[in-house]
Amino acid sequence: MSFKISSPENFLSSESVEKRMLREVFVDETDFPVSSRYIDELTSLGARYVVQSKWMKTVVVESMDSMVIERLIATPFVDSVKCVWNGEGRLDIQPCSDDTSRFVSMDSPVENVYGGAEKQIEMLNGIRLHNVGYRGKGMHIAVIDAGFLNVNRIDAFSSLNLLGTHNVTFPGRSVFCEDNHGTKVLSCMAADLTGVMVGTAPEASYLLIKSEDTRGEFLIEEDFWVAAVEYADSVGVDIISSSLGYFRFDSISDYYTRADLNGQTSFVSRVANIAVRKGILIVSSAGNEGNGDWERITFPADVRDVLTVGGITSDKEKSAFSSVGMTADYRIKPDIVVLGTGVCVINSAGQLQYSNGTSFSAPVVAGLTACLWQAFPLLKNTELIKLIKESSSQYQKPDAQLGYGIPDMFNAYTKANNDALRTY
């Protein structure tokens, strides 16, 4: 099929086209899918198709036959070939459970509406933002993670506005099995159980995408993440919340170095830059390497216009594990910090749990960012990030530990509201 910029409905959803128009982002040839003729020719050589990136013009195919690999290298339209996964039984995983019983929280409700999540939302002055009517309604958030175990069975997600699901890693399989990391991440935004836990954007709509294979760490994980981002863009999401970070892999030869932390080198960082240009706001965890030998933020948290979130304790000190900056080209990262130690989440059994990690800091911010964007839908993604940083506790004196500090989301709302009023 031949694609034309004048007919974006042939390769983007109507929601995606509408979002582009709203935020003055133009459709261009990078939005065209990889030609099916190329993929057909590659598979005709004996390789099995796995995944593609239209933005990066890459295709991942699978074969254990060295002759097939030689034929791929010799194909005229193939620029280069790189091994991104090496093993057996990539698709051999345990079947999902067919149990449909419900997980009802056994936690006793408390008097405050937000339950266990009150502290992490109040720290950002997010409750005041909710109280003026902004709880994420109409905003579309993609959550890219390792899996969302039992989300479809947990009482706290009964009112979840689910846009859909997409399993990049194991096509056709449910995202609601295998891993519970995404369950906890999602709860920071979408949980809605009064007195037990209410998240930062309970009225937003969510697209749940699985991009991780937790059995190992190969370069193909980046390809899966990239495909997830492109899919999220194609269906018109506003925000991507990603608590996944890359820097080391099972093969030492695939390791990144600190010198690569320039926002332009890693595969995922290059794609994150494109997503930003497409109008998406990416909220990324900084990483949990602060007390390890890597220490720094992970990829794609190094991208200039990705909102990178580190973690702090309830005493507003940096969480020991929270990754630090600066970037290799001397930019401030993380951008902001929020609670990362003792974050309230809902686990895969539907119960409250207090967990550590910037994985849970990022979605707390992503939800409130959606609320702020709901209030000012004409703002561009970069304008919104600037507004959040300017409303943070150490905007005047940022550093490599806490970035611009703790954001005050209601202050950001007030500032944007005043700026809007001054334009009339």
Short mmCIF file of all heavy atoms in Angstrom, two decimals, residues 54-83:
data_model
loop_
_atom_site.label_atom_id
_atom_site.label_comp_id
_atom_site.label_asym_id
_atom_site.label_seq_id
_atom_site.Cartn_x
_atom_site.Cartn_y
_atom_site.Cartn_z
N LYS A 54 9.12 2.05 12.51
CA LYS A 54 8.95 2.89 11.32
C LYS A 54 9.81 4.14 11.42
O LYS A 54 10.30 4.66 10.42
CB LYS A 54 7.49 3.25 11.12
CG LYS A 54 6.86 4.04 12.26
CD LYS A 54 5.37 4.26 12.03
CE LYS A 54 4.74 5.02 13.19
NZ LYS A 54 3.28 5.19 12.99
N TRP A 55 9.99 4.65 12.65
CA TRP A 55 10.78 5.87 12.83
C TRP A 55 12.26 5.63 12.58
O TRP A 55 12.95 6.48 12.03
CB TRP A 55 10.58 6.43 14.23
CG TRP A 55 9.21 6.95 14.50
CD1 TRP A 55 8.24 7.24 13.57
CD2 TRP A 55 8.63 7.26 15.77
NE1 TRP A 55 7.10 7.69 14.19
CE2 TRP A 55 7.31 7.73 15.53
CE3 TRP A 55 9.10 7.19 17.08
CZ2 TRP A 55 6.46 8.12 16.57
CZ3 TRP A 55 8.25 7.58 18.12
CH2 TRP A 55 6.95 8.04 17.86
N MET A 56 12.75 4.48 13.00
CA MET A 56 14.17 4.18 12.87
C MET A 56 14.48 3.34 11.64
O MET A 56 15.65 3.06 11.36
CB MET A 56 14.66 3.46 14.13
CG MET A 56 14.47 4.26 15.41
SD MET A 56 15.37 5.82 15.40
CE MET A 56 17.05 5.25 15.58
N LYS A 57 13.43 2.92 10.93
CA LYS A 57 13.58 2.10 9.72
C LYS A 57 14.35 0.81 10.02
O LYS A 57 15.30 0.44 9.32
CB LYS A 57 14.27 2.90 8.61
CG LYS A 57 13.48 4.13 8.18
CD LYS A 57 12.16 3.73 7.52
CE LYS A 57 11.38 4.93 6.99
NZ LYS A 57 10.71 5.71 8.02
N THR A 58 13.92 0.13 11.09
CA THR A 58 14.54 -1.14 11.46
C THR A 58 13.48 -2.23 11.51
O THR A 58 12.30 -1.97 11.77
CB THR A 58 15.21 -1.07 12.85
OG1 THR A 58 14.22 -0.74 13.84
CG2 THR A 58 16.31 -0.01 12.87
N VAL A 59 13.93 -3.44 11.25
CA VAL A 59 13.07 -4.62 11.37
C VAL A 59 13.86 -5.68 12.14
O VAL A 59 15.03 -5.93 11.84
CB VAL A 59 12.66 -5.18 9.98
CG1 VAL A 59 11.83 -6.46 10.15
CG2 VAL A 59 11.88 -4.14 9.19
N VAL A 60 13.23 -6.28 13.13
CA VAL A 60 13.83 -7.40 13.85
C VAL A 60 13.24 -8.69 13.29
O VAL A 60 12.02 -8.85 13.25
CB VAL A 60 13.57 -7.32 15.37
CG1 VAL A 60 14.14 -8.54 16.09
CG2 VAL A 60 14.17 -6.05 15.95
N VAL A 61 14.11 -9.57 12.84
CA VAL A 61 13.69 -10.89 12.38
C VAL A 61 14.49 -11.94 13.15
O VAL A 61 15.55 -11.65 13.72
CB VAL A 61 13.89 -11.07 10.87
CG1 VAL A 61 12.97 -10.14 10.09
CG2 VAL A 61 15.35 -10.83 10.47
N GLU A 62 13.98 -13.15 13.15
CA GLU A 62 14.58 -14.21 13.96
C GLU A 62 14.93 -15.43 13.11
O GLU A 62 14.13 -15.87 12.29
CB GLU A 62 13.59 -14.61 15.06
CG GLU A 62 14.13 -15.56 16.09
CD GLU A 62 13.16 -15.75 17.24
OE1 GLU A 62 12.00 -15.31 17.13
OE2 GLU A 62 13.56 -16.37 18.24
N SER A 63 16.13 -15.93 13.31
CA SER A 63 16.56 -17.14 12.63
C SER A 63 17.76 -17.72 13.34
O SER A 63 18.62 -16.99 13.84
CB SER A 63 16.92 -16.86 11.16
OG SER A 63 17.38 -18.04 10.54
N MET A 64 17.81 -19.03 13.40
CA MET A 64 18.97 -19.72 13.99
C MET A 64 19.88 -20.29 12.90
O MET A 64 20.86 -20.96 13.18
CB MET A 64 18.49 -20.85 14.91
CG MET A 64 17.64 -20.40 16.08
SD MET A 64 18.51 -19.29 17.20
CE MET A 64 19.65 -20.47 17.96
N ASP A 65 19.54 -19.98 11.65
CA ASP A 65 20.27 -20.52 10.50
C ASP A 65 21.30 -19.49 10.03
O ASP A 65 20.94 -18.39 9.61
CB ASP A 65 19.29 -20.86 9.38
CG ASP A 65 19.93 -21.59 8.22
OD1 ASP A 65 21.15 -21.44 8.00
OD2 ASP A 65 19.21 -22.31 7.51
N SER A 66 22.58 -19.84 10.07
CA SER A 66 23.63 -18.90 9.67
C SER A 66 23.53 -18.53 8.19
O SER A 66 23.89 -17.42 7.79
CB SER A 66 25.01 -19.48 9.97
OG SER A 66 25.20 -20.71 9.27
N MET A 67 23.03 -19.46 7.37
CA MET A 67 22.86 -19.16 5.94
C MET A 67 21.81 -18.08 5.73
O MET A 67 21.96 -17.22 4.86
CB MET A 67 22.47 -20.43 5.19
CG MET A 67 23.56 -21.51 5.18
SD MET A 67 25.04 -20.93 4.29
CE MET A 67 24.41 -20.80 2.63
N VAL A 68 20.74 -18.12 6.53
CA VAL A 68 19.70 -17.09 6.43
C VAL A 68 20.29 -15.73 6.80
O VAL A 68 20.02 -14.72 6.13
CB VAL A 68 18.52 -17.43 7.37
CG1 VAL A 68 17.54 -16.25 7.45
CG2 VAL A 68 17.81 -18.68 6.87
N ILE A 69 21.10 -15.71 7.82
CA ILE A 69 21.72 -14.45 8.25
C ILE A 69 22.61 -13.88 7.15
O ILE A 69 22.60 -12.67 6.88
CB ILE A 69 22.53 -14.67 9.55
CG1 ILE A 69 21.58 -15.08 10.68
CG2 ILE A 69 23.31 -13.41 9.93
CD1 ILE A 69 22.26 -15.52 11.95
N GLU A 70 23.35 -14.73 6.48
CA GLU A 70 24.19 -14.28 5.37
C GLU A 70 23.35 -13.70 4.24
O GLU A 70 23.73 -12.70 3.62
CB GLU A 70 25.05 -15.44 4.86
CG GLU A 70 26.15 -15.85 5.84
CD GLU A 70 26.99 -17.00 5.31
OE1 GLU A 70 26.85 -17.33 4.11
OE2 GLU A 70 27.78 -17.57 6.09
N ARG A 71 22.20 -14.33 3.97
CA ARG A 71 21.32 -13.82 2.92
C ARG A 71 20.74 -12.46 3.32
O ARG A 71 20.57 -11.57 2.46
CB ARG A 71 20.20 -14.83 2.63
CG ARG A 71 20.67 -16.08 1.91
CD ARG A 71 19.51 -16.84 1.30
NE ARG A 71 18.67 -17.49 2.32
CZ ARG A 71 18.84 -18.72 2.77
NH1 ARG A 71 19.86 -19.46 2.30
NH2 ARG A 71 18.04 -19.24 3.67
N LEU A 72 20.43 -12.28 4.60
CA LEU A 72 19.92 -11.00 5.07
C LEU A 72 20.95 -9.89 4.87
O LEU A 72 20.63 -8.80 4.41
CB LEU A 72 19.54 -11.09 6.55
CG LEU A 72 18.34 -11.95 6.92
CD1 LEU A 72 18.24 -12.10 8.43
CD2 LEU A 72 17.05 -11.38 6.36
N ILE A 73 22.20 -10.21 5.22
CA ILE A 73 23.28 -9.22 5.07
C ILE A 73 23.45 -8.81 3.62
O ILE A 73 23.75 -7.64 3.32
CB ILE A 73 24.59 -9.81 5.64
CG1 ILE A 73 24.47 -10.01 7.16
CG2 ILE A 73 25.78 -8.90 5.31
CD1 ILE A 73 25.63 -10.76 7.77
N ALA A 74 23.23 -9.75 2.71
CA ALA A 74 23.44 -9.49 1.28
C ALA A 74 22.26 -8.81 0.61
O ALA A 74 22.35 -8.41 -0.56
CB ALA A 74 23.75 -10.81 0.56
N THR A 75 21.15 -8.65 1.32
CA THR A 75 19.96 -8.04 0.73
C THR A 75 20.22 -6.56 0.44
O THR A 75 20.68 -5.83 1.31
CB THR A 75 18.76 -8.18 1.68
OG1 THR A 75 18.57 -9.58 1.98
CG2 THR A 75 17.51 -7.63 1.06
N PRO A 76 19.93 -6.08 -0.78
CA PRO A 76 20.29 -4.72 -1.19
C PRO A 76 19.75 -3.61 -0.30
O PRO A 76 20.44 -2.61 -0.07
CB PRO A 76 19.70 -4.62 -2.61
CG PRO A 76 19.66 -6.04 -3.09
CD PRO A 76 19.36 -6.86 -1.89
N PHE A 77 18.54 -3.74 0.21
CA PHE A 77 17.97 -2.65 1.00
C PHE A 77 18.32 -2.73 2.48
O PHE A 77 17.89 -1.90 3.27
CB PHE A 77 16.44 -2.58 0.82
CG PHE A 77 15.70 -3.83 1.23
CD1 PHE A 77 15.42 -4.09 2.57
CD2 PHE A 77 15.27 -4.74 0.27
CE1 PHE A 77 14.73 -5.22 2.96
CE2 PHE A 77 14.58 -5.88 0.64
CZ PHE A 77 14.31 -6.13 1.99
N VAL A 78 19.11 -3.73 2.86
CA VAL A 78 19.55 -3.86 4.25
C VAL A 78 20.88 -3.15 4.42
O VAL A 78 21.88 -3.48 3.77
CB VAL A 78 19.68 -5.34 4.66
CG1 VAL A 78 20.32 -5.46 6.05
CG2 VAL A 78 18.31 -6.02 4.65
N ASP A 79 20.92 -2.16 5.30
CA ASP A 79 22.13 -1.38 5.53
C ASP A 79 23.11 -2.12 6.44
O ASP A 79 24.31 -2.11 6.22
CB ASP A 79 21.75 -0.03 6.15
CG ASP A 79 22.97 0.82 6.46
OD1 ASP A 79 23.62 1.26 5.51
OD2 ASP A 79 23.25 1.02 7.65
N SER A 80 22.59 -2.73 7.51
CA SER A 80 23.44 -3.46 8.45
C SER A 80 22.60 -4.46 9.22
O SER A 80 21.36 -4.37 9.27
CB SER A 80 24.13 -2.49 9.43
OG SER A 80 23.17 -1.79 10.19
N VAL A 81 23.27 -5.42 9.84
CA VAL A 81 22.60 -6.44 10.64
C VAL A 81 23.30 -6.53 11.99
O VAL A 81 24.54 -6.55 12.06
CB VAL A 81 22.64 -7.82 9.94
CG1 VAL A 81 22.08 -8.90 10.85
CG2 VAL A 81 21.86 -7.78 8.62
N LYS A 82 22.52 -6.56 13.05
CA LYS A 82 23.07 -6.63 14.40
C LYS A 82 22.28 -7.64 15.22
O LYS A 82 21.04 -7.66 15.16
CB LYS A 82 23.02 -5.26 15.07
CG LYS A 82 23.62 -5.22 16.47
CD LYS A 82 23.67 -3.80 17.01
CE LYS A 82 24.38 -3.75 18.35
NZ LYS A 82 24.52 -2.36 18.86
N CYS A 83 22.96 -8.44 16.01
CA CYS A 83 22.30 -9.41 16.88
C CYS A 83 21.74 -8.69 18.11
O CYS A 83 22.47 -8.01 18.83
CB CYS A 83 23.28 -10.50 17.32
SG CYS A 83 22.54 -11.72 18.43
#
